[in-house]
Amino acid sequence: MFVLILLQYILVLLVLVVAGFAFIYVAYIKYIHFKFSHIPGPKRESFIVGHTFIAKIVAERTSSLAETFLELHYKYGKVFVVFYLHMPFIAVADPAVVKRIMLDNKYLKPASNYQTFQSIFGQRFMGKGLVSETDHERWALHRRVFNPAFHRKYLMELTGTFNESADRLVKYLSAKADGKTEVKVMGAFERVTLDIICKVGFAMEGDMIFSDTPFSDAIKTGLGAMYTASSPWIQMDPRKEARDYRKKVIKAITLLRDTGVKVITDRFEAMKQEKELPKDILSYVIKSAVVEENLSMEEMVDHFLTFFVAGQETTSDLLSFVLICLGKNPHVLKKLLEEVDTVIGDKEVIEYDDIIKLEYMMLVIKETLRLYPPVTGGVRLISEDVDILGYKIPAGCSLFMMGYGMSRMEEYFKDALIFNPDRFKEEDPQRMYATFPFSLGARSCIGQQFALIEARIILCKILQKFNFQLVPDQSFGIFDELTIKPIGGCANYISFREK
Ligand code: HEM
């Protein structure tokens, strides 16, 4: 009898505790909603989930948040708020605000936005690599170590390796160049950009273009999971399918990190034995990173993975969108081909001195990055209450700078939706705060020169050899998977050029 009464008491107590927590949670959400009620924005579809369209876009991958945010801007203005669960995101489309926030180091990257970069399902992924480190001091120390290895001067010496991978891409596409096979070129670009990071970054053996390796499969799984795992539901879903998926991701990340440990340990050994080191980025940094700055193996592996994640799909997305823009604008393609034929001709090894002469190609790349920046904006944590275009933004929330959106606004770019590389002929310092594909300020892309050398060598090689004709009935819309991608995969019919 006594036990029964005790159990009843415990049950009542439990119900009260749960109800108490529920009450506090609901009161907290109400308070958050109230706190941001002065900022315009669409009506929330759900009290708990917030704006459900965000979760839907993440889950379905048939549309893009960047595009949706642009539509919201037209309805709600230059500052608006959306909620993912109880978390508010303030979107801003104003170059002056971008300049003020992105150039000020007191506004850090918000840790909450980089959680799935650091670890996925409890498994360390990119950890505290350059992209995901949110502590400014620690980040600055690591960035100092890597800066010289990504400098143009050093990369210029590695163009031979870029050429070799690009040559194998040409061989890979040649097998499909019958003029009638539909080729999703985005997949081929993903292969070559992975191959290039393997070789230029870490002199890793093995081919990533012709074969799917456990490493390349694991990279794909890891990249996909960074986006998927941001959903709390995917993290907790008890069903077998979800549990199996989590196991698969953890296994893939373990393989990637183990590979990193092996590559770095082998190089360290080679250095100790005073063997000749391969010419790559790892050789350049390993001495200062491990010996002078005392970076641990764990931190080095964080950086190893970071370069794959940050450098692979961004560059393959850029190349896919270049081909799409060229396919849709034959007059631009014609002018670019004339330049490639004149400057490069049949040259087989393309040097840095060659690519800097390709002025029109650089304009084409800049204009593509304006319309299709693979990373669609920058996000910063607001450390104190600030006034943004007349709205008081409370400390502690994330401000999202709409790079994709502003790049497409008539207010900042005349005939904004027209692909016109010539608009970049004239320098305009103000424009850089409305279109900033490599981000801005201290946390801007360390791999910008790497990507631009890589993209130009690949473009030269494929334009020397092939005609590309876009498959007409594919979707040219975009979807998000951390970076934006063409839904149709940049499908082309490829044939050999007759000169
Ligand atoms: C077209 C190609 C590329 C684009 C558009 C691009 C864009 C960006 C952007 C927007 C950021 C800032 C990310 C953030 O705010 O979290 C970034 C950072 C970074 N990118 Fe790139 N990227 C490209 C290629 C590369 C390549 C090829 C590499 C390396 C091989 C690379 C390595 C990095 C790293 C390490 C960071 C973090 C920098 C730091 O905070 O110190 N990126 N990139």
Side-chain angles (χ1 to χ4, degrees):
M1 186 65 182
F2 172 73
V3 174
L4 211 64
I5 292 171
L6 187 70
L7 276 177
Q8 274 174 352
Y9 271 116
I10 291 174
L11 198 68
V12 170
L13 202 68
L14 265 177
V15 170
L16 283 176
V17 168
V18 171
F21 273 120
F23 177 77
I24 292 169
Y25 187 57
V26 167
Y28 174 68
I29 297 182
K30 273 227 165 275
Y31 164 69
I32 295 286
H33 288 170
F34 171 73
K35 199 168 160 188
F36 291 89
S37 56
H38 61 294
I39 302 172
K43 200 171 174 311
R44 284 176 298 275
E45 298 102 320
S46 155
F47 180 75
I48 301 284
V49 182
H51 289 101
T52 50
F53 71 81
I54 299 180
K56 205 161 166 258
I57 290 173
V58 171
E60 290 177 359
R61 303 190 190 190
T62 49
S63 57
S64 152
L65 270 180
E67 195 59 42
T68 310
F69 273 30
L70 180 56
E71 283 158 26
L72 291 176
H73 153 76
Y74 288 125
K75 269 195 188 152
Y76 299 101
K78 288 188 174 180
V79 182
F80 60 87
V81 63
V82 291
F83 286 86
Y84 183 49
L85 302 170
H86 60 280
M87 292 172 288
F89 286 96
I90 316 284
V92 183
D94 184 79
V97 175
V98 169
K99 185 175 177 186
R100 172 177 150 207
I101 302 291
M102 297 292 278
L103 299 191
D104 191 338
N105 289 339
K106 80 173 172 228
Y107 301 120
L108 305 175
K109 285 184 168 187
S112 56
N113 283 64
Y114 289 88
Q115 256 165 21
T116 58
F117 289 61
Q118 295 182 351
S119 74
I120 305 181
F121 305 139
Q123 166 71 39
R124 189 176 181 110
F125 186 38
M126 290 153 64
K128 302 292 177 115
L130 281 183
V131 172
S132 46
E133 176 60 270
T134 53
D135 178 293
H136 192 76
E137 299 300 311
R138 275 204 304 264
W139 162 81
L141 184 139
H142 290 209
R143 175 89 184 213
R144 244 195 334 270
V145 170
F146 284 92
N147 266 341
F150 281 89
H151 194 277
R152 192 166 17 95
K153 269 197 212 139
Y154 184 60
L155 294 172
M156 275 161 67
E157 298 173 24
L158 305 177
T159 48
T161 318
F162 285 99
N163 272 270
E164 281 161 26
S165 293
D167 284 339
R168 276 184 292 114
L169 170 71
V170 167
K171 215 165 154 196
Y172 177 79
L173 292 178
S174 293
K176 301 169 194 294
D178 57 10
K180 50 183 192 284
T181 304
E182 217 177 289
V183 185
K184 293 205 169 176
V185 190
M186 184 169 82
F189 286 147
E190 284 170 0
R191 287 169 183 270
V192 71
T193 52
L194 177 63
D195 197 70
I196 286 179
I197 299 181
C198 284
K199 306 278 180 320
V200 178
F202 306 98
M204 285 164 68
E205 296 194 343
D207 168 77
M208 300 284 158
I209 297 179
F210 285 89
S211 43
D212 291 321
T213 65
F215 185 80
S216 60
D217 289 344
I219 287 279
K220 239 188 169 17
T221 305
L223 281 171
M226 283 169 75
Y227 196 56
T228 321
S230 60
S231 151
W233 172 240
I234 304 282
Q235 294 176 29
M236 294 177 306
D237 188 347
R239 289 171 299 174
K240 181 170 180 326
E241 202 186 324
R243 281 185 280 128
D244 286 349
Y245 173 67
R246 290 195 289 263
K247 269 191 214 146
K248 181 180 157 190
V249 172
I250 290 171
K251 198 170 154 206
I253 299 177
T254 309
L255 183 145
L256 295 175
R257 291 196 68 93
D258 288 350
T259 309
V261 171
K262 179 157 179 5
V263 168
I264 296 161
T265 313
D266 287 354
R267 189 68 57 88
F268 206 34
E269 268 310 304
M271 195 175 83
K272 268 204 241 154
Q273 293 169 16
E274 296 182 357
K275 286 188 183 161
E276 193 185 338
L277 301 185
K279 208 158 176 40
D280 64 2
I281 287 179
L282 181 59
S283 290
Y284 198 94
V285 295
I286 198 161
K287 197 161 164 277
S288 54
V290 182
V291 181
E292 289 162 27
E293 294 297 350
N294 206 15
L295 300 198
S296 66
M297 177 58 77
E298 190 159 66
E299 288 168 325
M300 284 298 287
V301 176
D302 289 348
H303 292 303
F304 171 82
L305 279 189
T306 294
F307 294 128
F308 282 100
V309 171
Q312 189 211 349
E313 294 208 341
T314 41
T315 318
S316 67
D317 296 341
L318 161 65
L319 288 163
S320 304
F321 287 121
V322 168
L323 269 200
I324 289 175
C325 293
L326 292 176
K328 287 182 168 183
N329 296 277
H331 61 291
V332 177
L333 174 64
K334 186 167 173 278
K335 204 167 157 187
L336 181 60
L337 284 176
E338 277 165 15
E339 185 182 71
V340 172
D341 291 346
T342 313
V343 176
I344 309 290
D346 291 331
K347 207 166 181 212
E348 287 186 359
V349 179
I350 296 160
E351 312 281 354
Y352 186 76
D353 284 349
D354 299 319
I355 56 174
I356 51 169
K357 291 183 199 138
L358 296 164
E359 287 173 15
Y360 192 64
M361 183 180 279
M362 201 57 220
L363 300 182
V364 168
I365 290 175
K366 283 185 181 169
E367 178 68 341
T368 305
L369 285 170
R370 178 184 71 84
L371 281 173
Y372 299 103
V375 181
T376 57
V379 60
R380 289 294 180 268
L381 184 69
I382 296 306
S383 47
E384 81 266 285
D385 290 359
V386 287
D387 183 297
I388 300 284
L389 303 177
Y391 295 104
K392 185 181 159 219
I393 310 292
C397 67
S398 298
L399 212 56
F400 175 70
M401 263 58 67
M402 294 171 48
Y404 176 93
M406 280 183 280
S407 299
R408 289 174 168 249
M409 287 178 199
E410 209 53 39
E411 192 175 340
Y412 308 125
F413 296 93
K414 189 172 176 302
D415 298 327
L417 298 184
I418 293 185
F419 184 74
N420 172 20
D422 285 332
R423 74 171 81 236
F424 280 97
K425 254 184 179 167
E426 265 146 50
E427 291 294 323
D428 175 359
Q430 284 317 308
R431 189 166 49 198
M432 68 190 272
Y433 302 108
T435 183
F436 43 93
F438 292 101
S439 193
L440 291 164
R443 302 296 304 254
S444 64
C445 179
I446 198 173
Q448 178 167 352
Q449 287 303 328
F450 186 117
L452 293 176
I453 293 173
E454 176 179 14
R456 281 176 289 178
I457 291 179
I458 292 173
L459 283 173
C460 281
K461 295 260 176 185
I462 61 173
L463 293 175
Q464 271 179 326
K465 275 277 179 318
F466 305 117
N467 296 310
F468 292 92
Q469 193 199 337
L470 286 173
V471 174
D473 53 0
Q474 67 183 299
S475 166
F476 293 110
I478 55 168
F479 72 102
D480 279 316
E481 205 177 47
L482 276 186
T483 56
I484 53 165
K485 300 173 192 312
I487 293 175
C490 184
N492 272 275
Y493 300 114
I494 306 176
S495 56
F496 289 103
R497 265 185 86 187
E498 284 168 21
K499 284 192 228 165

